[in-house]
Amino acid sequence: MSSIRQVQVTFDCAEPERVARFWCEVLGYVAPSPPEGFATWDDYNGSLPPQDQDAWFACSDPSGVGPRLFFQRVPEGKVVKNRVHLDVRVGTGLVGEERLAALEAECARLVALGAVRERLLPADEENESCIVMRDVEGNEFCLD
């Protein structure tokens, strides 16, 4: 039995490139080069039938450590809470006020990119604080 070596996380969305470029900024990921034979993604999209244009986009961790993120256009909008979400780990190893300061600083950076802050989940007996947020299409994620 072989072991799995790579994982891709797929997002359903309305505007794949917009959402992918947001996550590139959040995570320091990079968008791939356009397919061979095309100078730009616009050139590639222009070569496709209208129904296939802007149907997907992807981004990846330039270090190769994190999973590839794939964004695919779907006709329906987001209706309910995500069943899976990303935790952006900016406060790892930090506690108390130091952790809150790191979370708040990253929250401010992401809000400037188009994210929406939902709420702070304060530390309790079991968990450290985190901030629940939404990306540019309303998908929940946590600053952890």
Side-chain angles (χ1 to χ4, degrees):
M1 185 169 154
S2 66
S3 62
I4 296 172
R5 298 184 192 278
Q6 294 184 345
V7 172
Q8 172 175 283
V9 179
T10 300
F11 291 76
D12 291 348
C13 55
E15 298 179 67
E17 185 172 354
R18 176 177 178 241
V19 181
R21 293 203 182 275
F22 168 81
W23 283 103
C24 282
E25 291 294 323
V26 172
L27 301 173
Y29 272 35
V30 294
S33 299
E36 191 170 326
F38 297 94
T40 68
W41 279 101
D42 286 339
D43 291 344
Y44 170 74
N45 275 314
S47 74
L48 299 173
Q51 69 272 16
D52 294 336
Q53 293 177 3
D54 301 311
W56 64 272
F57 209 80
C59 60
S60 59
D61 180 351
S63 72
V65 175
R68 180 177 190 247
L69 302 181
F70 185 81
F71 303 86
Q72 62 188 6
R73 188 180 64 222
V74 295
E76 67 277 355
K78 183 177 177 307
V79 178
V80 297
K81 185 178 185 295
N82 305 5
R83 294 288 304 263
V84 173
H85 69 268
L86 299 181
D87 285 346
V88 179
R89 311 284 321 269
V90 298
T92 303
L94 302 175
V95 296
E97 292 302 316
E98 187 178 16
R99 180 181 177 88
L100 283 174
L103 295 176
E104 293 294 350
E106 185 65 2
C107 179
R109 184 180 82 86
L110 301 184
V111 166
L113 296 174
V116 174
R117 179 191 178 119
E118 285 290 312
R119 66 189 175 283
L120 170 69
L121 298 176
D124 59 24
E125 297 80 33
E126 296 178 28
N127 300 296
E128 285 294 334
S129 298
C130 71
I131 298 176
V132 179
M133 300 191 71
R134 292 183 182 269
D135 73 10
V136 294
E137 281 201 3
N139 300 301
E140 294 92 358
F141 68 97
C142 292
L143 291 181
D144 177 27

